[in-house]
Amino acid sequence: MSVKKITSALISVYHKDNLEPIINLLHNNGVKLFSTGGTQKFIEESGIPVTPVEDLTSYPSILGGRVKTLHPKVFGGILSRRDHAGDKDQMKKFDIPAIDMVVVDLYPFEDTVASGADEQDIIEKIDIGGISLIRAAAKNYTDVFTVSSMEQYKDVEEMLQNQNCETSVEQRKLYAAKAFDVSSHYDCAIFNYLNPEGKVKSFKNSIRKSKLLRYGENPHQEGIYFGDLEEMFEQIHGKELSYNNLVDIDAAVCLIEEFEDETAFAILKHTNACGCATGRTVKEAYLKAFEADTVSAFGGVLITNAVVDADAAEELHKLFFEILSAPGYTDEALEILKQKKNRILLIKKTDLDTNKQYKSILNGVIEQDRDLKTDTIEDLELVTSRQTSEEENRALIFASKICKHTKSNTIVLAKNGQLIASGVGQTSRVDALKQAIEKARTFGLSLDGTVMASDAFFPFPDCVEIADSAGIKAVIQPGGSIRDKDSIEYCDKNKMAMVFTGTRHFKH
């Protein structure tokens, strides 16, 4: 039969919140209850009759509670095929009662790890009996209904109430899928805990929370975000975030977190900074960032690492932009910024704490460490006769931070804590430099005194030659070309300064 009436249920849960209504509902519909330990006590205290699993198995809970339900009389009752003659004969022979419903909420393994508990406590929170019950019930979904998490209690209560404790095979199959979702996520968390150094080379990453997006990168593509965005951001105004919004926000966050001890502002389009600057105030930093490209800023994603006040909001309000992220806003600033109903305003609550990146390619996935190396003044190796000044060093590091978060091949031009221009995603470094120079001139920005950053080494001296003719006199690059000396010799002959960092920052 597709529709089955629940006549017996095994309940063994860690979290008891919102469980009592289900217990009352089952009892009122004549369902026989089996339980163990703390759950059994909880049911008894509710005044509802319950049969201890020990009475069913004629075997006590042993090994400090590690073994309670792992018994043929329990798993036979769950796994028996109700329409299978052989199974029915064996059930009768061994006096095994059928169990039509299993309710389990697993030990909180991930919460225990996150709490900083010692290893012994963590290991004891690896659920064995519960996970086995979930898998057994889900496997036999044609006959058994599985509730595998406290998150399901409310929906299950409503469903059973409306259906007089009957379930359809479609519902049982759906909840079986949810059960294997719970169990696979649980096993993944345990694997990653036991494999922190990645010695076992296997890609296992599980995220159960998801949000369906309006569409993917384009309207004909479906898009889903997997993760807990609310943990990192609070959206206080505007329309729903889209797939492209999230991609741009990720790029914006990675860039702004490079600036820890100074007020910074960045404007991004298609994951690349078209404006970035530091300043004494958010307003000053924004205006400097905006100056670099007043065209691309239209419809951009904006981010700052300081509280947005009314002065900054007045300037920002003049620009049409998609998103603004900040650690906070004054009341006056919000009054101004909320005048555009679709404008997305985010409060960034935490920094990124991930150290891995994943990308689906071909018929698999590639994984790498995030590029967490930020070039510092201490990393700079002077390779030319002319030394860099303190002001140039600050500009070089600033340019390098932006370069690191810009699509390769890239060249970044900067001075005085301001992105002057960049060449982005070009197939040659020379083209990237020419694009940056042309862009700076388009927006009337002088290149005199600017510095140049490159995400990778110069295989030929052509880039420093072009830079020199444009008025650029200091360069930062990783170094490492077999022809580094050609670029160094040109710099020495033309009184340019160049430093190597030893670190390449490709971004594809």
Side-chain angles (χ1 to χ4, degrees):
M1 291 176 60
S2 173
V3 175
K4 289 186 177 288
K5 180 82 171 180
I6 296 170
T7 61
S8 59
L10 171 60
I11 305 175
S12 180
V13 303
Y14 185 87
H15 292 102
K16 317 298 190 294
D17 300 344
N18 299 316
L19 178 64
E20 189 169 2
I22 294 177
I23 295 171
N24 289 328
L25 181 60
L26 293 172
H27 173 65
N28 292 336
N29 279 270
V31 177
K32 182 177 178 63
L33 302 182
F34 298 93
S35 192
T36 65
T39 308
Q40 174 192 330
K41 182 179 178 182
F42 177 80
I43 296 171
E44 289 171 341
E45 289 176 349
S46 300
I48 293 174
V50 57
T51 300
V53 165
E54 290 87 346
D55 291 356
L56 173 63
T57 63
S58 300
Y59 217 92
S61 171
I62 62 173
L63 306 180
R66 282 189 166 196
V67 180
K68 290 180 285 193
T69 57
L70 297 169
H71 193 281
K73 280 212 170 183
V74 174
F75 282 86
I78 296 170
L79 287 165
S80 66
R81 293 159 289 186
R82 308 313 198 250
D83 59 354
H84 188 281
D87 285 6
K88 288 193 285 187
D89 288 345
Q90 288 190 322
M91 293 284 282
K92 184 176 181 180
K93 177 180 178 180
F94 295 108
D95 191 25
I96 301 174
I99 296 174
D100 303 325
M101 177 179 180
V102 171
V103 182
V104 171
D105 183 65
L106 300 173
Y107 291 161
F109 177 80
E110 289 179 282
D111 290 345
T112 305
V113 173
S115 73
D118 61 37
E119 186 171 54
Q120 187 56 44
D121 287 341
I122 291 170
I123 296 302
E124 288 305 316
K125 287 298 185 293
I126 297 178
D127 205 315
I128 302 300
I131 206 84
S132 301
L133 291 169
I134 284 174
R135 291 176 61 84
K139 175 178 179 176
N140 201 25
Y141 70 84
T142 53
D143 294 303
V144 181
F145 181 54
T146 316
V147 181
S148 53
S149 169
M150 65 177 296
E151 298 166 359
Q152 300 166 13
Y153 292 172
K154 286 285 189 183
D155 289 341
V156 167
E157 178 193 352
E158 183 178 348
M159 182 176 69
L160 296 182
Q161 180 73 54
N162 293 337
Q163 297 173 194
N164 297 315
C165 284
E166 292 183 340
T167 61
S168 68
V169 69
E170 292 80 14
Q171 290 168 331
R172 294 193 297 276
K173 188 173 184 179
L174 172 62
Y175 275 81
K178 291 183 178 184
F180 281 112
D181 176 37
V182 169
S183 67
S184 62
H185 176 82
Y186 198 78
D187 285 343
C188 184
I190 296 169
F191 168 79
N192 287 323
Y193 171 75
L194 295 174
N195 190 45
E197 298 174 1
K199 292 180 180 179
V200 180
K201 302 301 180 186
S202 179
F203 181 76
K204 288 185 174 63
N205 190 24
S206 175
I207 302 173
R208 294 187 61 232
K209 190 165 186 176
S210 64
K211 179 180 176 58
L212 184 66
L213 305 174
R214 296 199 304 272
Y215 49 80
E217 198 162 10
N218 298 293
H220 63 278
Q221 296 169 271
E222 182 180 79
I224 304 174
Y225 177 76
F226 292 97
D228 187 1
L229 197 62
E230 293 176 1
E231 182 181 16
M232 189 166 185
F233 291 101
E234 177 185 356
Q235 182 171 347
I236 57 176
H237 188 69
K239 62 185 179 180
E240 283 192 16
L241 291 164
S242 70
Y243 179 99
N244 291 330
N245 289 156
L246 291 169
V247 173
D248 283 333
I249 290 168
D250 176 69
V253 167
C254 290
L255 174 56
I256 207 68
E257 288 185 1
E258 296 285 351
F259 302 94
E260 295 181 348
D261 301 318
E262 51 193 340
T263 298
F265 201 103
I267 305 169
L268 287 88
K269 286 291 284 288
H270 300 289
T271 75
N272 295 302
C274 56
C276 185
T278 57
R280 291 165 297 178
T281 64
V282 174
K283 176 182 176 179
E284 179 185 332
Y286 162 68
L287 289 174
K288 288 170 66 178
F290 179 66
E291 188 179 20
D293 187 341
T294 57
V295 174
S296 296
F298 183 86
V301 172
L302 283 52
I303 191 166
T304 182
N305 59 1
V307 173
V308 176
D309 58 18
D311 287 343
E314 288 284 1
E315 291 296 333
L316 290 164
H317 188 58
K318 298 174 184 177
L319 174 69
F320 168 75
F321 61 86
E322 287 270 344
I323 301 166
L324 173 60
S325 171
Y329 305 82
T330 65
D331 291 341
E332 294 81 3
L334 287 178
E335 285 184 18
I336 297 167
L337 295 170
K338 285 184 176 181
Q339 291 177 37
K340 299 288 187 180
K341 69 175 183 178
N342 288 329
R343 178 181 283 163
I344 298 169
L345 301 178
L346 302 175
I347 294 176
K348 181 172 174 286
K349 298 190 287 186
T350 62
D351 286 346
L352 281 173
D353 63 356
T354 57
N355 56 16
K356 294 288 185 181
Q357 290 179 314
Y358 317 99
K359 183 184 291 185
S360 61
I361 63 166
L362 302 175
N363 61 345
V365 174
I366 52 175
E367 172 188 299
Q368 69 169 354
D369 297 333
R370 278 184 62 210
D371 185 357
L372 299 176
K373 170 62 179 172
T374 298
D375 297 327
T376 67
I377 289 176
E378 289 71 28
D379 295 322
L380 305 184
E381 176 193 356
L382 184 69
V383 294
T384 54
S385 300
R386 183 172 90 73
Q387 294 201 11
T388 51
S389 66
E390 289 186 11
E391 182 179 341
E392 284 175 328
N393 281 339
R394 287 193 295 271
L396 289 166
I397 294 301
F398 174 84
S400 174
K401 290 177 178 179
I402 300 171
C403 195
K404 169 183 167 181
H405 295 282
T406 305
K407 294 288 186 184
S408 300
N409 289 310
T410 184
I411 293 289
V412 169
L413 308 179
K415 65 179 175 183
N416 299 327
Q418 181 184 27
L419 170 64
I420 299 301
S422 60
V424 176
Q426 298 301 302
T427 52
S428 84
R429 207 157 300 283
V430 170
D431 286 344
L433 175 56
K434 289 179 178 178
Q435 182 189 58
I437 292 170
E438 179 61 27
K439 192 171 186 180
R441 289 171 176 165
T442 297
F443 292 101
L445 298 175
S446 171
L447 293 173
D448 290 337
T450 62
V451 303
M452 176 173 73
S454 173
D455 59 335
F457 62 63
F458 299 124
F460 304 102
D462 44 10
C463 278
V464 290
E465 294 169 4
I466 296 169
D468 178 38
S469 64
I472 298 161
K473 294 299 180 182
V475 180
I476 184 171
Q477 59 138 318
S481 169
I482 60 174
R483 303 184 66 172
D484 277 343
K485 64 180 181 59
D486 293 348
S487 295
I488 294 170
E489 287 177 0
Y490 181 88
C491 287
D492 283 341
K493 289 178 182 178
N494 293 275
K495 298 180 180 180
M496 294 178 71
M498 185 159 62
V499 295
F500 287 177
T501 65
T503 304
R504 189 182 73 185
H505 293 292
F506 270 166
K507 185 182 179 187
H508 290 97

